[in-house]
């Protein structure tokens, strides 16, 4: 079975995370960045459009959510797929489930990018880049997509595959230890990674990884590569970024990062909010997958049993998001309050939207902006900060401590 056939057979919890972000963030982008100009949603690695069971893939989701803003924004969707069979399927799916104004293109995204940028000229562009493995060459990402569009708002949501980069590190270790050149296929994979990451600088991160079975160290090296990569893009494209590690389930090593590159602090703020809401859906998805597996195991073992363990297990789809939020809200708000106090103590006054890593520390991918607002309100009631947490733009205003902090005393 090819990677693509395997991928589109059934949707894994990791895919739920990205799709739930796509169900929320692009709409906010269209509403904010599309004021007074058209909007383009671009899916550069679109896939087949839907899974075998009919679950919506990213192009269908983007198209569906474009419709939500149709009454006040003009949104065009552009969907690109390189694999011939997947492209034909995508065309068929989008003919049924897409919108007439959308473009569906077959071919390599790298080659089609100049044509796409002509279509998107002057529009606010939200680009979702979600390949298997490594994505667009760094040169193209920076020069054409992020820097090549003048003042038109441009945001890129990039899938950075940590497992692919970690695997690549394994190839390099093998080459080092065996003293033999890589096979042509492996060399091609490494060359692709060099183009994606912009040179061979990343390879030094894997020098300490010497053991083929050391998945944790390889993943840590890959995460360090991803952090340096993001810092480089931020510097060269004069933008900001925020990244969410996506795992199969909690406490596991991340499989990939979803990184938003934007020049607007509001983009980061609303992205963090969408990530929190998507995280709750992911919570339900991985728990449901575990229960389904447990039921299948129990069903097998139950064949000769008088009472069925399978029947005693909760239903896989019984996860209640509202209940989950209700149970966790107070602790999320307390943690965010502590996070805000920590930044105030260390550095004094700061703007929430500019310090999202710290503000959402330990609750990123679970809490959302309402919990940050509640934390600020609570700090105000405790006479820690002057800010009341009220108003639409409380996240843009500096948080001002009532008493001098360690940083200001
Ligand atoms: C992970 S799948 C996309 C899944 C899709 N974004 C979703 O969430 O439903 C990646 C797709 O990118 C396609 N692809 C890989 N390299 C490409 C390229 N250079 N240009 C366009 N498509 C490409 C693959 O054939 C595959 O269908």
């Amino acid at each position: 079975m090819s990677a693509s056939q395997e991928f589109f057979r059934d949707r894994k919890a990791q895919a739920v995370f990205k799709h739930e972000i796509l169900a929320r963030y692009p709409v906010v982008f269209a509403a904010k960045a599309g004021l007074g100009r058209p909007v383009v949603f671009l899916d550069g690695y679109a896939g087949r459009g839907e899974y075998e069971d009919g679950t919506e893939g990213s192009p269908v989701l983007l198209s569906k959510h474009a419709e939500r803003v149709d009454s006040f924004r003009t949104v065009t969707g552009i969907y690109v797929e390189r694999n011939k069979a997947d492209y034909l399927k995508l065309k068929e799916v989008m003919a049924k489930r897409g919108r007439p104004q959308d473009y569906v293109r077959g071919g390599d995204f790298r080659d089609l990018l100049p044509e796409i940028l002509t279509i998107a000229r002057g529009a606010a562009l939200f680009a979702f880049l979600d390949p298997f493995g490594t994505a667009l060459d760094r040169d193209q990402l920076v020069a054409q997509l992020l820097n090549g569009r003048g003042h038109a708002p441009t945001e890129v949501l990039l899938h950075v595959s940590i497992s692919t980069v970690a695997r690549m590190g394994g190839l390099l270790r093998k080459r080092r230890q065996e003293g033999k050149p890589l096979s042509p296929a492996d060399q091609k994979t490494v060359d692709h990674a060099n183009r994606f990451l912009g040179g061979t600088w990343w390879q030094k991160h894997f020098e300490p990884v010497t053991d083929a079975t050391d998945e944790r160290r390889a993943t840590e090296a890959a995460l360090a590569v991803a952090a340096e990569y993001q810092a480089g893009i931020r510097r060269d494209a004069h933008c900001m970024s925020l990244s969410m590690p996506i795992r199969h389930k909690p406490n596991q090593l991340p499989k990939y990062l979803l990184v938003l590159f934007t020049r607007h602090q509001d983009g980061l703020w609303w992205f963090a909010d969408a990530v929190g809401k998507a995280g709750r859906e992911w919570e339900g998805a991985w728990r449901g997958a575990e229960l389904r597996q447990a039921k299948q195991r129990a069903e097998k073992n139950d064949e000769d049993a008088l009472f069925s363990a399978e029947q005693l297990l909760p239903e896989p789809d019984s996860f209640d998001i509202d209940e989950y939020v209700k149970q966790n809200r107070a602790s999320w708000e307390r943690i965010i309050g502590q996070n805000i106090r920590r930044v105030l103590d260390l550095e004094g006054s700061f703007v929430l939207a500019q310090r999202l890593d710290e503000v959402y520390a330990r609750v990123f991918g679970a809490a959302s902006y309402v919990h940050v607002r509640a934390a600020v309100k609570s700090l105000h009631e405790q006479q820690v900060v002057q800010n009341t947490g009220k108003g639409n733009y409380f996240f843009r205003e500096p948080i001002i401590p009532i008493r001098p902090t360690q940083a200001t005393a």
Side-chain angles (χ1 to χ4, degrees):
M1 190 180 280
S2 74
S4 174
Q5 284 167 326
E6 168 79 31
F7 182 87
F8 287 104
R9 211 176 40 182
D10 63 324
R11 192 169 73 143
K12 305 270 184 299
Q14 303 103 285
V16 171
F17 215 126
K18 69 179 172 189
H19 289 159
E20 292 297 334
I21 291 176
L22 289 183
R24 293 173 171 81
Y25 184 71
V27 168
V28 180
F29 174 81
K32 308 258 174 212
L35 190 63
R37 52 170 87 79
V39 177
V40 169
F41 289 169
L42 163 65
D43 191 341
Y45 302 80
R48 297 167 70 84
E50 64 184 21
Y51 289 73
E52 274 180 24
D53 65 359
T55 307
E56 296 152 334
S58 56
V60 171
L61 280 167
L62 284 170
S63 179
K64 176 170 142 182
H65 291 287
E67 237 165 63
R68 283 171 52 196
V69 291
D70 250 359
S71 60
F72 59 101
R73 292 289 179 268
T74 308
V75 184
T76 305
I78 306 178
Y79 309 110
V80 181
E81 172 54 47
R82 183 178 64 181
N83 176 285
K84 182 86 186 288
D86 291 346
Y87 164 67
L88 292 175
K89 175 71 183 171
L90 175 68
K91 251 177 72 163
E92 183 193 313
V93 169
M94 296 312 280
K96 275 191 279 179
R97 304 179 75 170
R99 301 176 323 144
Q101 63 269 50
D102 292 344
Y103 295 79
V104 181
R105 288 276 195 273
D108 193 316
F109 178 55
R110 285 180 296 193
D111 302 334
L112 293 171
L113 187 56
E115 176 198 333
I116 291 167
L117 293 178
T118 306
I119 299 172
R121 187 169 292 147
L125 173 65
F126 173 80
F128 178 49
L129 308 185
D130 177 37
F132 294 131
T134 48
L136 191 63
D137 298 353
R138 189 187 189 284
D139 287 352
Q140 274 189 292
L141 174 71
V142 173
Q144 296 179 19
L145 206 45
L146 289 167
N147 285 346
R149 300 188 358 96
H151 292 296
T154 307
E155 293 194 356
V156 174
L157 181 57
L158 177 67
H159 171 142
V160 178
S161 175
I162 294 302
S163 45
T164 303
V165 177
R167 214 169 38 245
M168 223 80 78
L171 293 180
L172 299 173
R173 178 192 50 72
K174 211 166 116 200
R175 182 176 67 183
R176 236 182 11 248
Q177 285 176 348
E178 294 177 3
K180 283 195 291 200
L182 295 174
S183 71
D186 286 349
Q187 188 57 52
K188 204 170 149 201
T189 315
V190 171
D191 291 345
H192 199 181
N194 290 340
R195 289 203 306 275
F196 168 62
L197 294 164
T200 56
W201 59 267
W202 59 278
Q203 301 184 5
K204 70 176 185 304
H205 284 278
F206 287 95
E207 277 162 19
V209 184
T210 51
D211 181 352
T213 60
D214 194 350
E215 197 191 341
R216 177 163 293 280
R217 280 175 78 187
T219 301
E220 278 163 9
L223 286 168
V225 167
E228 194 171 332
Y229 168 79
Q230 283 174 69
I233 304 276
R234 287 198 298 269
R235 182 193 62 228
D236 293 349
H238 312 287
C239 66
M240 299 170 279
S241 74
L242 190 60
S243 93
M244 176 68 209
I246 310 291
R247 298 173 164 81
H248 182 56
K249 59 182 190 181
N251 303 322
Q252 286 197 341
L253 296 171
K255 292 279 170 218
Y256 66 93
L257 305 179
L258 278 178
V259 185
L260 183 78
F261 292 106
T262 175
R263 293 206 174 90
H264 208 297
Q265 70 177 24
D266 289 14
L268 296 186
W269 173 258
W270 293 116
F271 180 64
D273 181 62
V275 164
K277 289 168 180 158
R280 300 165 203 166
E281 304 282 347
W282 166 80
E283 193 73 33
W286 74 259
R287 288 181 194 219
E290 297 260 293
L291 281 172
R292 255 184 294 278
Q293 281 169 11
K295 270 184 178 281
Q296 278 164 6
R297 277 196 304 272
E299 211 175 322
K300 264 198 203 143
N301 297 337
D302 276 351
E303 271 164 14
D304 305 319
L306 199 53
F307 299 106
S308 164
E310 188 262 332
Q311 284 169 344
L312 297 176
L313 287 164
E315 281 308 309
D317 297 323
S318 57
F319 180 71
D320 181 338
I321 291 186
D322 293 339
E323 192 51 38
Y324 171 74
V325 173
K326 223 157 92 189
Q327 279 172 12
N328 287 284
R329 197 175 52 202
S331 97
W332 293 340
E333 288 167 11
R334 195 184 57 252
I335 291 170
I336 294 170
Q338 289 164 354
N339 292 343
I340 293 173
R341 287 180 99 131
R342 193 169 307 119
V343 183
L344 284 174
D345 276 347
L346 289 173
E347 297 177 32
S349 186
F350 72 100
V351 173
L352 291 168
Q354 291 169 4
R355 305 300 290 268
L356 292 170
D357 281 332
E358 288 108 320
V359 169
Y360 276 103
R362 296 195 292 135
V363 294
F364 191 47
S368 50
Y369 95 93
V370 289
H371 307 109
V372 183
R373 189 196 284 285
V376 174
K377 280 186 177 168
S378 165
L379 290 176
H380 180 73
E381 281 156 18
Q382 295 166 55
Q383 307 227 322
V384 176
V385 300
Q386 292 180 19
N387 310 60
T388 59
K390 290 186 184 149
N392 288 342
Y393 298 109
F394 75 102
F395 58 90
R396 289 180 184 168
E397 292 154 11
I399 296 286
I400 302 179
I402 288 178
R403 280 177 288 279
T405 67
Q406 283 170 26
T408 54

